[in-house]
Each structure stands twice: as C-alpha cells, then as structure tokens.
Amino acid sequence: MLRGRDTEQALIDDLLEGARAGRSATLVLRGEAGIGKTALLDYAAAQGITTIRSAGIESEAELPFAALHLLIRPGMELVGHLPSRQRDALEAAFGLGEGTASDRMLIGLAVLTLLAEEAAQGPLLCLIDDAHWLDRATAEALLFAARRLDAEGVVMLFATRSGPQDFPAPGLPELALSGVGPDAAAALLDAGATRLSPAMRYRLLAESGGNPLALLELPAIVGEESADGTNPLPLTQRLQLAFHGRVTRLPAATRRVLLIAAAAGAADLAPVLRAAGDAGASLRDLQPAQEAGMIGTDGQVLTWRHPLMRSAVYQGAALTDRLAAHRDLADALTDTATADLRAWHLAMAATGPDEDTATALERTADGARRRHGLHAAVAAYDRAAALSVDAHARVRRLVLAAETATEAGLTDRAARLAERAAGNAGGTGFELRLDSVRAQAEFASGKPGAAHRRLMAAAVALRETDPRGAARILTKAVHTAWYLGPAELDEVAAVLATLNLVHDDPATPIVRYLTGSVAGQRVGDLRDAAADARAGGADSPADLVQLCGSGLVVGQDEQVEELAAELITECREQGRIGLLAPLLFFRSEGLLFGGRPRESRIAAEEGLRIARDVGQAQWASQIHAYLAYLAALRGDAASCRDHADRAVAEEFGGPGAAGASWAHAATALLALGQGRLEQAQAELAHMTVEPARHHVIGLRTLSDQIEVAVRLGATERATDALDRLSHWSRRAEQGWIAALASRGRALLTEGADAEPHFVAALAANRPFDEARTRLLYGEWLRRDKRKVDARAQLEQAMALFDRLEAAPWSERARTELGALGVGTGARAGGGPLSLLTPQESQIVRLAAQGLSNREIAARLFLSHRTIGHHLYKAYPKLGVLSRGELSALDLAE
C-alpha cells in the first residue's frame, strides 16, 4: 500500500482508464532518489494491464540501445512483422542485421509501430525506470515514440531523477514528486518494528523530508545516541548509493568543503570556511556543488538540497577525513560563545580516552541540562564517559547520563546507562542513585514490585545520612506501593515517619501530605502543600508529581486538575517528557470528575501517545483503560472493549497490568449503562479485592457497587459498599463524597424515609454524579406516583447526560420520561407495557403474577436465561429496580 500518494495514484488511474478506452498518454515522473517513483510504477503495473518494462542501468549508459533491447526483447517476434525499413534499422541497432543503426527516426518509428502492435489486443503499459541512466540512443527512440502516441491505447510512464540534466524530455507532461505529507510520513516511520524515542522520531521526520525510502530504512539503523543531532544520520547502503552518487563526481576540493560543512551541521558558513581555509579550500570550491543542485549558498549560509545529502556526504567520506574535518572545525571555533561546539568537535575527533575533552564535554552537558536540553545533555554525558580516563569520573558521568535520560523519558536508554555504570560503581557512592534510576525504569516498564523493592532498599539505606534524599525516593515508592497493596503502603508510611526532616525542607510538606493520604489521616489543601514545597526549593515538577495521585485519593479533584496543569506546562518548558504521561493522566481524571469529559479525553489521548513513544508500559496500560472508561460513558461499546483489551495486553503484564482496575471499571460502567446488571456486578467484584480496593477507581466505583447490588437484591453487598463509601467520606471531608453516600443510603432505605437522602445527595455538584442522582430520584418519585416531581428530576438528569454525551444514561432518562407520557418515547396506549417489546411485555405480565423464570420459560418455550435477560432489559424501561417491584405497577393496557 502506498501512503500519501492518493493524487499521483488517481492520475495514473485516469491514464490507464483512458488506455482501456483506446487513448494513449505519456507521463514523466520526476523526483529525488527514494521518493517513490518506482513504487508508483509498480502500482501502475498492478492494475491488470499488459505491461512491458525496462530501466536505465548506470553501467550500460554508454552502450547504444541497451535499454531499448531490454524493453523489446520479450516481443521480438513482432519485429519480423515491421515494415522492412523499420525492421532493418531496428535489427541493425540490436546487432542482429548487417546494416548500421544510422537512421534514428526509423528506429523511433519502429518502436512506435511495435507499441501499437502490442496494444492491438488490448491496452498496453510501458514502464521505463531510472530514465536518467538510459543510453542516449534509447532515450531518443523512446521520446520520439512517446511524442507521437495518439489513439493506440498505450501509456508510457518514465521515472527519473530531478536534476537539471537528468533525462530532459521537452514536450512531455511531467509530474514532480515531493516528499509525502506529515501523516503519511509518520505512518511510514511507524510501519517498522523498531521503536524510536520521541526525539529520534521527530528528527527522522524532519530530516527525511518525507522521503519514503528514508522513512522505511532509517529506523532500523539509528539509535538514541544520534537523537541530539550532533552528527549526520547514518545511512543504509541503498540510501548511501541513492544520495552519494553525485558527490563522487565533484572535485576533491569541493568534496572537502562539503565534508566540513556536513560535520559542522549548522548553516553558518563562517566556521566552515575558516576550517576549510586551513586545508587549502575556499568558498569558490562550493560552486560545482551549487551548480549540481546539491546545495544553495549566498556566501554566508549553506543549505542542503535535501537533509539526507548532508548524511551522504559525511558517511561517504573516509574515517580519517571525517576525523580531520572535526579537528579543523574545533581549531576554527576559538571564542567562548562556541565552547560547547568546540567540545563536541574535539570529542568527535578523539580516537581514544581524553580527559581534557571529557571534562569540556561534561561542562557542555551541565549547561544543556540547566537549559532543559535533556536529550543533548544525555548524549554529552555519555560521550564524556566514553572519553574518561579516570574510572570514578566515568561512573559519575554515566550516572548523570542515566538520571538525565530518566527525566527526558528515555526509559530504555536510562536502564542501559545504569547497567553500564553499575558494572564499575562498587565503592563509588553512586549505587543508590543508580538503584533509583533502575527502579523508575522498572516501574515505567510495568514492574511495580521490582521497582518498589529497589526503592525501599535505597530509602532505608539513606534515611540516617541523607533523610531528604530518602524522602524523595519514598515519594516515588508511594506510587509503586499503590499498585501493590496496603501492606506496601504501610511500609512506606512507616519509613516516612522515621525521617528527621527540618521544617523548611522541601520534602516536609510533600511527606506530610503523602503520609496523610496513605494513612487515612486528615490532610490540608493540595495546593498549599505544593506551594510550601516549592518555597523550600523542591524540584518542580519532578518532586510534585505524586501529590497529584494522592490528591485524587482524598477527593481533591479540582486541586489536582489545577496543579497537574501547572506541572504539565513546566514539563513542556523543561523538556521533561518522562513526567508528562502520568501528569496528563492525573489531569484527565480531574477533568472527568469535574464534568469535562471532552477535555479529559484530549489529555488522555496525548498521554497515551507519549507513554507509547517513550516506552512507559505502566502508563500506556493505565491510559488505555481510562479511555475505555470514557468510551463506556459515551456508550461506545466497541471502543470501550478495544481499549480495555489493550490495557491488559501481554506486553503490559496481562490480567495483572497496571490498568486492570480501570479496565474492569470501564466494562462495569458500560454494562450498567446498558442495563446488564449481572455483568456489571461481575466486573465490579474486582473492585472489592486488593489492590484495586484502595485504588482511585476502586473508591470511585463504590456508588456503582451500591446501585448494582440494590437492583439485584444483594442488600448485604450494597451495605458493605455503603460502609466503605461513608468511611471514605469521613476521611476525605469532601461534600461530593458525602452526597454519594447519601444516595447510597437512599437506595437502601424503604418507603418515604428515602427521600431526605435523595435530597441530600443532590448536593454533589458534580455533573455526572448529580445527573445519576436525579435519575434515581426521578425513578423513585415515579414509582411513588408523583409524576410532576419525577418529571422535573428526570428532565434535569437527561439534560445533564446530554451535555456530558453520556448516551446510555440519556436513553435511560428518556425511557423514564416516556413512562410518564412525556416526549415522543411512549407508544400508543401510554401504559408501562407500551414501552416494551411484545415478548418483554408477555414476560413481565407473567413475572408480575409471581411466576419464576423457569415457570415462565416452560410456558413460553424459552430458556430461563433468556427470561432473565429480557427482564433485566425491561426493568430500566419500567423504572423498577427488582422483580419484586413489578407487582406495584399498573400493568393494564
């Protein structure tokens, strides 16, 4: 499948359709190497038309009629049927006759006649690839024939390079091929099996210029080490051949200046010319490259015709020449402003350990890190480590590279750097810092257990000598513990309580808030804790991320959304991509709970893209499951199931994946919205066991657990869920949680005593919770024969559901209003049974008479499971919660 070539394919289709109708046409496809010319010829050849094909071959470009012979050879038997003069001329051209191929016009006419003869039985497609390598005699004959095609049903397609002297074809229509668009380029880049870091992915998209060959081949040979852009991209052999051919034909001095420019990378010609001057070259030597269309320059700035041309020049040069180019550039960069560039060129020119260069490059890395150029800093620290003479300095630089890679979201690279450092870290004092790096990599890859053990060991080892460092590690351990269970949370809380932190230490407000949320103690406002930590010098955003997760546990959703938005902005400014996925997840939760599902979905989808790009399996699983929950809210069953399945894919850990809890909650919400109570109950059962029981979503589904249990008549389960919800309400001291507890009490209360609880529950002031409360209250009022009051609640519920795009719930509210005779939902007759299908109506009548499912099944010749299924579909339509309430309805038609 071709990507991004819809316009070109449509044009070829039109030409071929014309050939089927007896019309002839010619088209020259012109574009750079790898742009997709051959792919378009292949596309044309696959359209079911008789095809003949040839191609120019560089080694045969001086052999007259070599390419024409390849084209005609399959149909040589037709040559004997040509008019004698044409036949003799063509045979002479191929060395088959005694004459000489002196009359080029006769040869051209012979080609035209042969094409017409081959098209006599149906349309003919003639494909000429690499026309820039055609021998001159073949090119003249084919162009002669192409210009004279008319009504033979022949299509000739030529593919050639885009240089000014490549296959000139005056008088023939041409189509200039450029790079594919951004979407198609991204799809091509992602088609391979190689996973790229975001920085490398961006670089390939930028430097490939939309060239399909580059997009397909480069991912397999590049590594994260090239992502900083210091050196040109490496090229595959095919790309090297494609882009380097012209370079070899340039004068030696021109190649020398181009190599220095390619090594420099920047567009500024001044340092390039200074370095080239030392080698005896000058600006005049760039003229041949400019005339060949390889570069553009005004004497001050140099631009490459294609970004990969720079790579071809650099990679095509001998190693000794590349090293010399970097040395010349380092010598030309003498002022303070270019110290970082000089350090890099010295590093690239080094052939062994060089402590002076390593020290200079470490300073460059430190500066890049302060400026939040994290990817460049990682590359500089790594290269400095490779050049280090002192073993301790080498380990220190590797540790710095690993820590910076973690901040940049380069999870896999951070783990590899940590492993390299660990092999020589014994006795250097860096072991605990490396453990923190490896733990974060393990957590991001979906291994919270291993990460937690490593973090706790590091924190315990540091708590006496460095309590602040231990506190920072423990804030990360809170997160890993959250996915494991209460025992691990208690362990973290116990160690946190032993830390001797001073009052103004930035870790103090963070530890106090985290400890309180874990232990169920009263905590203050999340924003105050963050402000105090920042005032004390906390590393924002890194030190504050877990405050967002803990804030959701105690119900401070609005504060979480606000803080997460601030931290996301800081991450973008600082290049800390590794923190974006969790922060976007936390913010999306806050947005949803605050009644903004559309914005929530946008944030979550961005978080998922980032998590997948940087290899954070933990967050990819979580966000897939969260998107399943949003789909369930909309009633999009296909999307819900797709995201839920992806959340627990084997690559994320299967059923034990981080997103498993949200996935169960999502399928439960979908089932509840569709009235499938037993399935909802089965999914919600996962929320009653650890670790899901104490998760954010485990707490948020307590109200669902109550509703489902009440409607299924499982009073004990409903009471247990209400007890837990009431306990959470007292801990969190949030009015909206108290309102949910009131709703649970209303559902469990018989008769008129339920109404005060419904009224109290309306104080939730959170759109989805309020709408569901009004729906349940309206159903209760309708069953109590208070139609006017019921209508008011149900109409408000429906309006809220519509605004939230919660389709299943809107439908349920409409059904309830239909039962009141409101709107257009009620069928003729207006009674409750008019809302049901005929079969549902028959089953409900029998159930209201007290017959069991098996008795009804025997009477109607159906299975008892089918009877139960139809009853559960009928309950929401009738506004009842259980079979026992059917007898209270007036079922008369």
Side-chain angles (χ1 to χ4, degrees), residues 29 36 75 86 137 165 189 278 283 388 416 420 459 602 691 709 737 799 841-842 849 884 886:
L29 302 174
Q86 295 180 24
Q165 302 305 317
L189 192 63
D278 294 338
L283 179 62
S388 300
R416 292 196 302 270
R420 283 170 53 196
I602 292 170
I737 304 176
S841 176
Q842 191 176 19
Q849 296 171 22
L886 290 176

Short mmCIF file of all heavy atoms in Angstrom, two decimals, residues 29 36 75 86 137 165 189 278 283 388 416 420 459 602 691 709 737 799 841-842 849 884 886:
data_model
loop_
_atom_site.label_atom_id
_atom_site.label_comp_id
_atom_site.label_asym_id
_atom_site.label_seq_id
_atom_site.Cartn_x
_atom_site.Cartn_y
_atom_site.Cartn_z
N LEU A 29 7.59 10.96 -14.45
CA LEU A 29 7.63 11.14 -13.00
C LEU A 29 9.04 11.57 -12.62
O LEU A 29 10.01 10.85 -12.88
CB LEU A 29 7.28 9.82 -12.30
CG LEU A 29 5.92 9.21 -12.62
CD1 LEU A 29 5.78 7.85 -11.95
CD2 LEU A 29 4.79 10.13 -12.18
N GLY A 36 9.86 7.51 -4.29
CA GLY A 36 8.70 6.66 -4.55
C GLY A 36 8.34 6.52 -6.01
O GLY A 36 7.23 6.07 -6.33
N GLY A 75 9.06 -9.19 -26.86
CA GLY A 75 8.18 -9.23 -28.04
C GLY A 75 8.95 -9.22 -29.34
O GLY A 75 8.47 -8.65 -30.34
N GLN A 86 11.94 -0.21 -41.28
CA GLN A 86 11.95 -0.13 -39.82
C GLN A 86 12.59 -1.38 -39.21
O GLN A 86 13.37 -1.30 -38.26
CB GLN A 86 10.52 0.05 -39.29
CG GLN A 86 9.86 1.36 -39.69
CD GLN A 86 8.46 1.48 -39.14
OE1 GLN A 86 8.12 0.87 -38.15
NE2 GLN A 86 7.64 2.29 -39.82
N ALA A 137 20.88 6.76 -27.12
CA ALA A 137 20.15 6.26 -28.30
C ALA A 137 18.77 5.75 -27.90
O ALA A 137 17.77 6.01 -28.59
CB ALA A 137 20.96 5.15 -28.97
N GLN A 165 19.93 18.06 -15.53
CA GLN A 165 20.40 17.34 -16.72
C GLN A 165 19.92 15.90 -16.76
O GLN A 165 20.39 15.13 -17.60
CB GLN A 165 21.94 17.38 -16.75
CG GLN A 165 22.53 18.78 -16.77
CD GLN A 165 21.99 19.62 -17.91
OE1 GLN A 165 21.87 19.15 -19.04
NE2 GLN A 165 21.65 20.88 -17.61
N LEU A 189 7.04 5.78 8.97
CA LEU A 189 8.06 5.65 10.00
C LEU A 189 7.66 4.62 11.04
O LEU A 189 8.50 3.88 11.57
CB LEU A 189 8.29 7.01 10.67
CG LEU A 189 9.51 7.14 11.57
CD1 LEU A 189 10.79 6.93 10.77
CD2 LEU A 189 9.54 8.50 12.25
N ASP A 278 42.20 26.39 6.33
CA ASP A 278 43.38 25.72 6.86
C ASP A 278 43.76 24.52 6.00
O ASP A 278 44.90 24.07 6.00
CB ASP A 278 43.13 25.26 8.30
CG ASP A 278 42.96 26.44 9.25
OD1 ASP A 278 43.42 27.54 8.90
OD2 ASP A 278 42.34 26.25 10.32
N LEU A 283 35.58 29.38 -0.55
CA LEU A 283 34.19 29.48 -0.96
C LEU A 283 34.01 29.10 -2.43
O LEU A 283 33.00 28.51 -2.81
CB LEU A 283 33.68 30.90 -0.71
CG LEU A 283 32.23 31.21 -1.10
CD1 LEU A 283 31.27 30.35 -0.30
CD2 LEU A 283 31.93 32.69 -0.90
N SER A 388 36.49 9.26 29.23
CA SER A 388 37.08 9.45 30.56
C SER A 388 38.29 8.55 30.77
O SER A 388 38.30 7.37 30.40
CB SER A 388 36.03 9.15 31.64
OG SER A 388 34.93 10.01 31.52
N ARG A 416 19.84 1.15 30.28
CA ARG A 416 21.12 0.66 29.73
C ARG A 416 22.30 1.44 30.32
O ARG A 416 23.34 0.84 30.64
CB ARG A 416 21.11 0.78 28.21
CG ARG A 416 20.14 -0.16 27.51
CD ARG A 416 20.46 -0.26 26.02
NE ARG A 416 20.41 1.04 25.36
CZ ARG A 416 19.32 1.56 24.81
NH1 ARG A 416 18.17 0.91 24.88
NH2 ARG A 416 19.36 2.72 24.20
N ARG A 420 25.44 -0.05 32.59
CA ARG A 420 26.86 0.18 32.28
C ARG A 420 27.59 0.77 33.48
O ARG A 420 28.71 0.36 33.80
CB ARG A 420 26.99 1.13 31.09
CG ARG A 420 26.71 0.46 29.74
CD ARG A 420 26.62 1.50 28.64
NE ARG A 420 27.76 2.39 28.59
CZ ARG A 420 27.79 3.55 27.93
NH1 ARG A 420 26.70 3.96 27.29
NH2 ARG A 420 28.87 4.30 27.92
N ALA A 459 15.91 3.81 50.06
CA ALA A 459 15.44 4.79 51.07
C ALA A 459 15.91 4.41 52.46
O ALA A 459 16.35 5.28 53.24
CB ALA A 459 13.91 4.87 51.01
N ILE A 602 -9.06 14.42 25.44
CA ILE A 602 -7.94 15.01 24.71
C ILE A 602 -6.64 14.83 25.50
O ILE A 602 -5.60 14.43 24.95
CB ILE A 602 -8.20 16.51 24.43
CG1 ILE A 602 -9.36 16.65 23.43
CG2 ILE A 602 -6.95 17.20 23.92
CD1 ILE A 602 -9.86 18.08 23.28
N PRO A 691 -5.23 -5.23 44.90
CA PRO A 691 -5.01 -3.84 45.28
C PRO A 691 -6.07 -2.87 44.76
O PRO A 691 -6.07 -1.71 45.12
CB PRO A 691 -3.65 -3.52 44.64
CG PRO A 691 -3.62 -4.36 43.42
CD PRO A 691 -4.33 -5.64 43.77
N ALA A 709 -25.87 -3.67 43.35
CA ALA A 709 -26.26 -4.64 44.37
C ALA A 709 -27.72 -4.47 44.78
O ALA A 709 -28.46 -5.45 44.95
CB ALA A 709 -25.34 -4.51 45.58
N ILE A 737 -18.40 13.54 48.08
CA ILE A 737 -18.36 12.15 48.51
C ILE A 737 -19.49 11.89 49.51
O ILE A 737 -20.16 10.85 49.47
CB ILE A 737 -16.99 11.79 49.13
CG1 ILE A 737 -15.86 12.10 48.13
CG2 ILE A 737 -16.95 10.30 49.50
CD1 ILE A 737 -14.47 11.86 48.68
N ALA A 799 -30.92 16.33 30.59
CA ALA A 799 -30.16 17.48 30.08
C ALA A 799 -28.69 17.37 30.45
O ALA A 799 -27.80 17.65 29.63
CB ALA A 799 -30.76 18.78 30.62
N SER A 841 -43.13 -7.63 27.11
CA SER A 841 -44.42 -7.37 27.76
C SER A 841 -45.03 -8.68 28.28
O SER A 841 -45.53 -8.74 29.42
CB SER A 841 -45.36 -6.71 26.76
OG SER A 841 -46.64 -6.54 27.32
N GLN A 842 -44.97 -9.74 27.48
CA GLN A 842 -45.53 -11.03 27.89
C GLN A 842 -44.80 -11.57 29.11
O GLN A 842 -45.41 -12.08 30.07
CB GLN A 842 -45.44 -12.00 26.71
CG GLN A 842 -46.22 -13.29 26.89
CD GLN A 842 -46.17 -14.15 25.64
OE1 GLN A 842 -45.30 -13.96 24.79
NE2 GLN A 842 -47.11 -15.07 25.51
N GLN A 849 -47.17 -11.78 38.01
CA GLN A 849 -48.12 -12.72 38.63
C GLN A 849 -47.43 -13.66 39.61
O GLN A 849 -48.07 -14.51 40.23
CB GLN A 849 -48.81 -13.54 37.54
CG GLN A 849 -49.68 -12.70 36.60
CD GLN A 849 -50.18 -13.50 35.40
OE1 GLN A 849 -50.23 -14.73 35.46
NE2 GLN A 849 -50.54 -12.80 34.34
N GLY A 884 -39.41 -7.73 42.45
CA GLY A 884 -40.45 -7.53 43.47
C GLY A 884 -41.27 -6.28 43.26
O GLY A 884 -42.40 -6.18 43.75
N LEU A 886 -42.42 -5.19 40.40
CA LEU A 886 -43.33 -5.27 39.25
C LEU A 886 -44.79 -5.27 39.68
O LEU A 886 -45.65 -4.70 39.03
CB LEU A 886 -43.04 -6.54 38.44
CG LEU A 886 -41.73 -6.58 37.65
CD1 LEU A 886 -41.55 -7.94 36.99
CD2 LEU A 886 -41.71 -5.47 36.60
#
